[in-house]
Structures are given as structure tokens and as C-alpha cells.
Amino acid sequence: MTSLRYQLGDTGPAIAEIRSKLTQLGLLDDTAPGPSTFDEDVDRAIRQFQQERGLTATGIVDATTYRVLDEARWRLGDRLLSYVVSNPLAGDDVIALQRRLSELGFDVGRIDGVFGTRTGEALRQFQRNVGIPADGTCGPSTFKALGRLAPIVTGGRPDSLRASEAIRQAGKRLPGKVVVIDPGHGGPDRGNVGHGFDEASVVEDLAARIEGRLTATGVQTYLTRGPGAESSPSESERAAFANDTDANLLISLHVDAHPSPEASGVATYYYGGQQPGTTSAIGEQFAGLVQREIVARTDLVDCRSHGKTWDLLRHARMAAVRVELGYITNEGDAARLADPDFRDVVAEAIVIAIQRVYLPSGEDAATGALRFHDLATN
């Protein structure tokens, strides 16, 4: 399915299925029979769906958009839910289950719509508490039990409260923390290109600069790939690698591109969509810190932070941020990216942002004020 791609003007049975899913979601008025065509109405509906679901609003149905379309059709009670090792169930019904269990005080981790081991254990704990067989399967008796009980957690989202408490308990010092650095692309996939160099090379160099600084402060760092990698891991593979390291934070490095040479600036992304409860609170905080530190220390245009549901951000269990550091297709941004001194400034900005995640509000410094030597001597 990796090569799946449908867009404006396409026809056929797959388009009829896409139209049916959009109609089911209330995004397309498709009551009258007609040709199975990807027309202007479908294009608008797909863009709206992508925007609502934290995907890039291209209007193109690729493998990710098609998968998320399928996940969106499920409602809690439509099917039995349980943990499947080889192919974990995912969908809006899983989000509803995770949200309900979390409201009742059971720890599902991040509400991401994927039925993993943590959701299964929370479900079994719930079943034991209400006196039904603790088989980890959400069936009719579990649906009824969930419907009878009122939420018991108040004062904020339980998953956010747990994440904030974990940050507090981790302490403010960097030594002992684990950070995964993800240089985008790799191998034959060089990413975006422009003005004589490519994205993969830029982020490889930047990753090395960040790694060196973090290591000097006592942070255990891992790279999802090295500069000599023969292939480019998928986003899910990169997230799985980060999960295996039991990392505290994940930072993914990219460089953007655009058909217009005028497009420029830096943006950061964290896990979050428009569905209630699906935003990573610490990820959003981390992204904001990275964004503000880079903007304060450089002259890059501030394109702000945004919630997205891309696979890397969704499947990483720790707070994860993706940085799009300028546009390689913009002459000004490209000149900055080619400058080693500029890359040093950005590396320091990211390291400072990592430190600021752990600083209590009373001890945090103003944006752009901390320097690397402040960390190294702390």
C-alpha cells in the first residue's frame, strides 16, 4: 500500500469506496448515484478531512490518508477490541475507549487510537474492578459497564497530568536523561533538494552537533540512523527504535521545500489533532520551546508550532517533536542552512529547549537567554 495514491481526476472502484467513506463521515453529500470520480467535491472533502485529522492537507489520498479514513469509520461498540500483537487495532473506537478508561482513572498512556499493551492492561484493570472477566477484550459486557460509570478524574486530562508529573519526578538536571535524535530521510532517500545540497546531509550534520552537545551534558543520546545508512527507516520504524531505548524525548530533524521560492521559515510539530484528548501536552510544550528558542536566536521566519498525527509523532511513546528548519528552496534559508555557524546556533537552541522542558517555572530563564555553558557548568 506504500505506493497508493489517488487524486483529482482519478476514477474507479477505489474512488467509489473513498466517496462512500467520506459520505459516512458527513464530509460529502453523495446521496445521488454518479460516476466513481475523484472530482472537486471529493478533493475539498479530502482536504477538510486531512486538516481535521492532523495530516498534511494535500487533497491526495496516499496510504496514510487512506488508513486514517478507514480508522475514522469505527464507533465504540461496532467491533470487539483487544490487543493483537502482529497488527494492533486502530480507529476512532479505540480513541473513545482510551478516553473513557482514562476518565475513569485507568492509565492508558497517550490517547492515540492504537490498541497497544498499555491500553490492554488498563482494560483488564477496569474489568477486574467492575467484576467482569478480565480478558482484555472489550465486548458487550464491557461496553455496558463503561456506559454505567461516570468519570472520576477531574481537574484536567488524566494522561496530561501523568505526563507532567513524570517530567517533574525526572528532575531538572540533564545528566541521566535519554534523548533520541532522528535525522530525516537517509540512504538513497536524500529528501528535499535545492541550491546545491540536500536535506539528508543538512540534518545529518545538525544531528551530530546536537548529539555532541547533549553528550557533553551527560545525556544518553541515540540516533535513528547514521550518515552512512544504506536505507531510510519508515516513521513507524523510527518510533519503534525510540520506544526501545525508553527515551525521555525525541527530536526529528527535517528541512522543508515549496514550489514557491518565497516560502521560508521554521516550524515545529507535535502529536495532536482536533479530536478531544488526543494532543500530547508535553509534546506541545516541547515544540513551543524549540520553536521559540530557534526564532529568538536566528532570523528565520516564525511559522509556529502545529499539531499533527504523522506516524512518528503518533507512535512514539515519549514527547516527540519534528522540526522543519527552513526551506531549502528559498535562497535566504538555504544560505543559512549551508553555514556551519548557523547550524551551531540551531543545535544550541534545541539543546536549550530540551533543558527547559525540565526546568520548574520559577527557575526557567527567558527565551534566548540560556547558553550552552550554563548547562555544562550546572
Side-chain angles (χ1 to χ4, degrees), residues 46-66:
I46 287 295
R47 291 177 188 273
Q48 180 182 344
F49 176 80
Q50 290 171 327
Q51 186 70 33
E52 291 176 351
R53 295 289 168 147
L55 304 172
T56 305
T58 61
I60 296 170
V61 180
D62 58 8
T64 298
T65 297
Y66 191 89

Side-chain angles (χ1 to χ4, degrees), residues 69-344:
L69 262 175
D70 187 66
E71 292 177 5
R73 67 190 175 98
W74 297 105
R75 297 293 176 266
L76 190 59
D78 286 352
R79 56 178 176 171
L80 297 180
L81 295 174
S82 61
Y83 177 52
V84 180
V85 177
S86 58
N87 188 27
L89 296 175
D92 281 18
D93 53 347
V94 179
I95 288 179
L97 173 63
Q98 291 173 327
R99 186 183 300 125
R100 192 79 180 95
L101 290 171
S102 186
E103 290 171 346
L104 292 169
F106 299 94
D107 184 7
V108 299
R110 180 189 298 164
I111 298 173
D112 58 7
V114 180
F115 199 119
T117 55
R118 204 160 172 181
T119 299
E121 179 55 34
L123 179 59
R124 284 189 291 271
Q125 290 177 7
F126 168 77
Q127 291 170 327
R128 283 192 288 268
N129 273 264
V130 298
I132 59 179
D135 57 6
T137 297
C138 191
S141 60
T142 304
F143 293 136
K144 290 179 182 178
L146 287 168
R148 287 196 303 264
L149 300 176
I152 62 173
V153 177
T154 60
R157 280 176 40 204
D159 58 317
S160 296
L161 296 174
R162 292 189 187 97
S164 297
E165 178 60 17
I167 289 291
R168 188 191 68 80
Q169 290 185 0
K172 65 180 183 180
R173 291 177 55 81
L174 284 181
K177 303 291 191 298
V178 179
V179 175
V180 171
I181 308 167
D182 172 44
H185 306 280
D189 175 13
R190 307 312 295 169
N192 294 313
V193 296
H195 294 90
F197 59 107
D198 60 66
E199 177 181 5
S201 299
V202 173
V203 297
E204 286 165 8
D205 178 79
L206 182 58
R209 295 170 192 265
I210 297 170
E211 179 187 24
R213 286 164 172 77
L214 287 175
T215 301
T217 65
V219 173
Q220 176 67 60
T221 60
Y222 296 94
L223 297 177
T224 58
R225 69 169 184 86
E230 296 182 359
S231 63
S232 176
S234 69
E235 288 200 351
S236 295
E237 289 170 339
R238 294 169 194 256
F241 172 84
N243 293 339
D244 288 343
T245 68
D246 200 23
N248 299 101
L249 299 172
L250 166 64
I251 183 87
S252 184
L253 307 172
H254 288 262
V255 176
D256 218 333
H258 197 275
S260 170
E262 301 302 316
S264 66
V266 57
T268 53
Y269 301 90
Y270 56 90
Y271 177 72
Q274 293 190 5
Q275 291 178 282
T278 56
T279 296
S280 167
I282 303 302
E284 183 176 11
Q285 175 194 355
F286 184 23
L289 290 169
V290 172
Q291 182 72 16
R292 290 192 294 273
E293 288 293 338
I294 293 176
V295 169
R297 297 162 189 262
T298 71
D299 61 351
L300 290 177
V301 173
D302 183 2
C303 297
R304 299 181 292 176
S305 298
H306 309 273
K308 293 292 182 182
T309 57
W310 298 328
D311 284 351
L312 177 70
L313 305 177
R314 181 185 189 186
H315 294 297
R317 291 197 295 263
M318 70 296 300
V321 168
R322 172 167 168 160
V323 183
E324 292 282 357
L325 185 67
Y327 283 73
I328 203 169
T329 46
N330 177 272
E331 184 177 1
D333 283 5
R336 292 167 180 81
L337 291 169
D339 183 359
D341 291 338
F342 175 84
R343 298 182 193 181
D344 273 339

